[in-house]
Each structure stands twice: as structure tokens, then as C-alpha cells.
Amino acid sequence: ARDLAPLLNTRVQVTGWTLEREGRRIIELEPDAGALRPAAEAPRLASPLAWQPVGAVTLRGEIVDTKCFLGAMKPGEGRTHRACAILCIQGGIPPTLVTRGPSGAARFTLLCDPAGEPFGGAQLDAILAHVGGPIEAQGQLESAAGVERLRLDPRSIRRR
């Protein structure tokens, strides 16, 4: 695990590989320690990312790990990928709920605990139990810089 605290609210340089699918892009960092470092003459940013509340929602979709779903594995979703997705999420890859609108376009929503933190312990186990299949989840939706996250209690998740 990388200690990211010294890099908070600073511009950084990254070295890695782009993973992209259906309009969403992430960078898989190289494994060496220098893959994420302060940019040359990197001033601290004026303000950290501010999450804006959207409201209470019920979403239907599939919990995936973003790394595999966006291209590291094919397929990166469904029952065939369930065991791999569980390992990735246990290893720190954020769980993401992929939902689809009437046109079939994907919507990506990061999942976090009710306090806005990553899942751990029993809450993480509850999330892992629902990976790789159709679910319905209720929580508080928030948005920041084009990214959505859902604060949820894993007990709100139901199989569909």
C-alpha cells in the first residue's frame, strides 16, 4: 500500500497504463515507488475535492472492481469474474456499482461506507458477498468533478 497523505491536494506525475471502457478512464500505476510523485514545482491546490450531495437514491446494477472492469481483464464483470473481483476489492481496488440506462450506457458509481470512507471488516465482507451479480442498493448519492459515489450501508443491498 502506498502512503498517499504527503500527496493530498498536490499536483502529481504518474507512470502507468491507461484502462478505459465506456467513457471512463483510470490509470493503473506501475508497481515501483516512483510511479506516483509530486509534479515539478507542484503548488498545493487551493481546495480539496468537495463532494456535493445529490440525494437519496436506489440504484440497480452490478458491483465490480474498477481495474478489471475497465480493461485489465476480459471479461471484467459477471459470475465468470466474481472470484477475481473479490480479490481485487480485498486488495484495495474500489468497489464500483455499474448501472445501465435505457440506452444501455454505463454509469459508474463508487461505493463507500455511510461516512464516506472505504469499506473495511464486516462491511467489506457484506459488499464482497454481492459482487458479480445483479443487485439493488439504497444510499446517499454524491458528486464531485464528474465522479459519483454512493454512501451506503451494505445491509441495504438486495439481490435482484
Side-chain angles (χ1 to χ4, degrees), residues 104-128:
R107 174 182 177 184
F108 302 89
T109 307
L110 294 172
L111 301 178
C112 62
D113 76 9
E117 299 295 325
F119 292 104
Q123 284 188 328
L124 180 59
D125 292 342
I127 292 294
L128 296 175

Side-chain angles (χ1 to χ4, degrees), residues 68-136:
C68 290
F69 186 84
L70 294 178
M73 298 291 287
K74 293 187 174 70
E77 63 189 304
R79 291 274 179 221
T80 59
H81 187 69
R82 186 181 193 301
C84 182
I86 288 171
L87 289 173
C88 285
I89 293 169
Q90 285 174 325
I93 303 296
T96 299
L97 183 62
V98 177
T99 58
R100 299 214 177 258
S103 70
R107 174 182 177 184
F108 302 89
T109 307
L110 294 172
L111 301 178
C112 62
D113 76 9
E117 299 295 325
F119 292 104
Q123 284 188 328
L124 180 59
D125 292 342
I127 292 294
L128 296 175
H130 294 287
V131 169
I135 61 102
E136 177 178 282

